[in-house]
Structure formats: structure tokens, C-alpha cells
Amino acid sequence: MHVGVDSFVAAVTDPSTERLVGPEERMAHLLEEIALADEVGLYSFGIGEHHRPEYYDSAPPVILGAAAARTSRIRLGSAVTVLSAADPVRVFQQFATLDLVSRGRVDLVVGRGSFIEAFPLFGLSLADYDELFEEKLDLLLRLRESEQVSWSGRHRPALTGQGVYPRPLQDPLPIWVGVGGTPESFVRAGLLGLPLMVAVIGGEPRQFAPLVDLYRRAGAQAGHAPERLQVGLHVFSYVAESTRAAADTIYPGWHEMFTKVSRERGFAQPTRAQFDATSGPDGAFFMGDPDTVADKLVRVSDQLGGVDRVAIQMTNPRLAHADLLRGIELLGTEVAPRVAEA
């Protein structure tokens, strides 16, 4: 199981000074974080896509291009590209170019996103939520298969054999499907033979076992080889010298972040008791010292029938840059080796 990091590039208030870190400084910090992840041997670094004031990741390919110039080994990817609100031609061109710049180190993870701001921003209707993704994923895969494509759909002008360039170094360009908890999404990915990135946001990770099994069965029935049906996890986590230190460091920002989302969606305000329960041995958050986090990753992989990669999401609006760097260092030097040996 490969271990990496995902970031939503949150705006950060330094917890020791209460100073809001400006976007220019935050981007500099982000590139330092990615360079460290490369240095300590982590497998991947993914950048999310949001169109909200508390995140600076609305243009992931630009950030990833800068990261490619600062790194040499780590794989770089999206986490996720909101394909429903994008033009598949431009997405393919951007990530094919990024693949060339990085010398074949790119993964494109596409999904529908957990926020809806992109839809009105780009003039799209939420009534077309499912159809937009299905249609655009079909076109994206056609573009990957061939330089010249003839295609037509409801939500984009037709292609009549035009060439789409450049072509990526990797053949084919890896395209993963990011999913939440909808069974239809798991089946779709399996039927298409695409690797699956599961976002574990709440509940218990083992509850995804039936859905992962559904994905594998759909893929097998469609004739796809088992090695094509890779499974990845996107999980919320933080690693520190002790489990208590990890929880105490990450909690203030977690509370701020989830309080905002809960107000928007009409949920109850989150509590420390809820956070601690979700951070427990069977919860969705992978919180603790290196041994605790590594053991949990291995246990969850076994529960899901094998996980190929995990992306640790440590985005937090009140996590100091130094603490985030330390978390990345521990993840690469202590957690990943323990997972590899298991």
C-alpha cells in the first residue's frame, strides 16, 4: 500500500499569533510541503479543487506544474478534479502537459466534488448533476484512447475528428474515479475498469467493504483483470509524536472547518466528543502516533480486501506550517515504512 498526501490548500490562521497567512505565503508553504513529501519518500501528493474563499486550490494544474519543477520522484495528482464543471478537452490537455513536465508522474482523479459552488460559477444546473459527470467522463476516456475523436453529447459542442494535443508521456494517462458512498458510482468505475479513490469522510472505513466488493464484482463481470481494479482511500489524518498531541493539534482547525460546513448544510454543530469518537480505532479519522496510524491503515486495508494506496488529507485552517511539515515528515519516515513492512 502506497502512502501519500492530499491538500485542499486551506487558508490558515497561525494558531500562535492569530495572523491570517496570506495566499502568496500559503502557496510558498504548500510548495515546501510538497518538496518535503518528495524528500521523505512519500508516494504521491494530490491537490483538491474548490471554488470557496477558505481554499486556494481552484487551479490545481497550475499548482502541480510548480510542484513538478520542485520534485523528482513523487507522483502528482488531482484530489479531485471536478470534471462535471470542466471541459474534458481542457482537462486532458492540462494533465497531458503536466505529465510531460513531470516526466510521467501524474495521476488524474476525477469526480463530482463534495461542494456545489462550481456549478453556478460555470453556468451549470445541479439538475444535470449525474448526467454531466457521465457524459464528460465518457469524452475524457475517448480523448485518452485516441488523438482524433468524433463525439457528441448534450453538454458540450460535438467533436468531429479534431486532434487533441499534446499527448501524455504515460500511455495511458492514469485516470481514477473519486467516489463517496453512492453504489452506482462504485459500479460505474468497475464496469469501466478504472481505479477507484474512495473518500472516507465519516462513519467507519470498514462500512465501505460491501461497496468495494461491488466495484470489484462489477469490474470482473465486465472482463477487467483484477490488477486494473485498484482501490485507493482519501482519509483525514494527522501524525504526531503521540496520539494525544495529534488530536490536540488538529482539533481546533477541525472544529472551525466542520462548524462552517455544518451551518451551511443544517447539521448539528460538531463537538470534541464526536471528534474523539471519529478518531478512535474504528473511526474515519486516522489520528495518532506513527505506530497507531500505520496499524490502522493496515487493518483497514485488510477489512476492505486490500488497498493499493492511501492519500492522507491534513488540510486544516488552524494548523501551523511547522506542525504540518512535521506531520509529513513522520508520515514519510515512520508511517510509510511500517505500512510497507506489514
Side-chain angles (χ1 to χ4, degrees):
M1 178 168 48
H2 297 298
V3 179
V5 175
D6 281 349
S7 176
F8 293 168
V9 199
V12 173
T13 298
D14 189 300
S16 63
T17 65
E18 294 299 317
R19 179 182 66 89
L20 179 63
V21 177
E24 180 182 5
E25 184 180 2
R26 181 68 186 94
M27 284 294 178
H29 286 173
L30 174 67
L31 293 175
E32 187 179 348
E33 293 155 13
I34 299 172
L36 178 62
D38 185 46
E39 180 183 328
V40 299
L42 287 169
Y43 183 75
S44 63
F45 204 108
I47 301 294
E49 178 189 340
H50 299 84
H51 303 272
R52 298 168 60 88
E54 66 265 35
Y55 300 117
Y56 300 138
D57 60 352
S58 64
V62 178
I63 297 172
L64 293 169
R70 293 276 298 267
T71 58
S72 60
R73 295 174 298 177
I74 196 167
R75 294 192 66 80
L76 302 167
S78 54
V80 301
T81 293
V82 184
L83 185 63
S84 304
D87 181 348
V89 173
R90 291 300 287 151
V91 169
F92 183 84
Q93 290 175 325
Q94 289 164 349
F95 280 86
T97 302
L98 180 59
D99 198 50
L100 297 174
V101 171
S102 67
R103 299 184 178 181
R105 293 188 283 129
V106 166
D107 293 298
L108 173 55
V109 185
V110 299
R112 292 179 287 191
S114 58
F115 292 99
I116 63 171
E117 287 82 5
F119 289 84
L121 182 63
F122 296 108
L124 302 168
S125 172
L126 281 171
D128 299 322
Y129 186 80
D130 293 318
E131 185 177 335
L132 279 165
F133 183 74
E134 291 180 11
E135 180 178 294
K136 292 185 176 186
L137 179 59
D138 175 64
L139 176 54
L140 182 66
L141 295 176
R142 296 278 297 276
L143 295 167
R144 183 174 71 163
E145 292 172 4
S146 176
E147 292 182 19
Q148 284 82 32
V149 173
S150 295
W151 175 94
S152 63
R154 285 191 60 232
H155 300 284
R156 189 202 184 280
L159 294 175
T160 56
Q162 297 96 324
V164 177
Y165 307 103
R167 308 306 296 179
L169 179 61
Q170 296 178 92
D171 185 17
L173 180 73
I175 296 177
W176 293 62
V177 176
V179 300
T182 306
E184 291 79 7
S185 298
F186 286 78
V187 171
R188 180 194 299 116
L191 293 176
L192 293 171
L194 296 175
L196 187 75
M197 183 61 70
V198 184
V200 181
I201 300 173
E204 297 183 354
R206 62 186 175 186
Q207 294 174 331
F208 285 89
L211 293 172
V212 171
D213 182 62
L214 184 64
Y215 160 72
R216 291 183 170 126
R217 286 191 285 113
Q221 291 172 6
H224 299 298
E227 58 269 22
R228 288 190 60 182
L229 303 174
Q230 299 180 68
V231 175
L233 299 181
H234 167 98
V235 301
F236 185 80
S237 173
Y238 184 67
V239 189
E241 278 73 9
S242 73
T243 297
R244 185 68 186 183
D248 289 346
T249 300
I250 209 76
Y251 174 73
W254 175 88
H255 184 266
E256 179 179 313
M257 182 168 53
F258 279 87
T259 295
K260 180 178 177 63
V261 173
S262 296
R263 285 172 179 164
E264 291 178 359
R265 300 184 180 184
F267 301 156
Q269 182 169 320
T271 65
R272 179 64 191 246
Q274 178 186 350
F275 172 83
D276 288 338
T278 310
S279 303
D282 296 314
F285 298 165
F286 290 64
M287 209 73 60
D289 61 81
D291 282 332
T292 298
V293 173
D295 289 347
K296 186 170 182 176
L297 287 172
V298 172
R299 184 170 67 256
V300 169
S301 177
D302 291 342
Q303 291 170 346
L304 299 182
V307 170
D308 297 279
R309 67 171 68 176
V310 60
I312 302 296
Q313 209 282 92
M314 291 189 277
T315 293
N316 188 294
R318 298 189 69 84
L319 181 62
H321 177 51
D323 289 333
L324 182 49
L325 290 176
R326 181 58 176 156
I328 290 172
E329 181 182 10
L330 288 172
L331 193 65
T333 60
E334 299 196 31
V335 175
R338 286 167 168 78
V339 170
E341 292 170 0

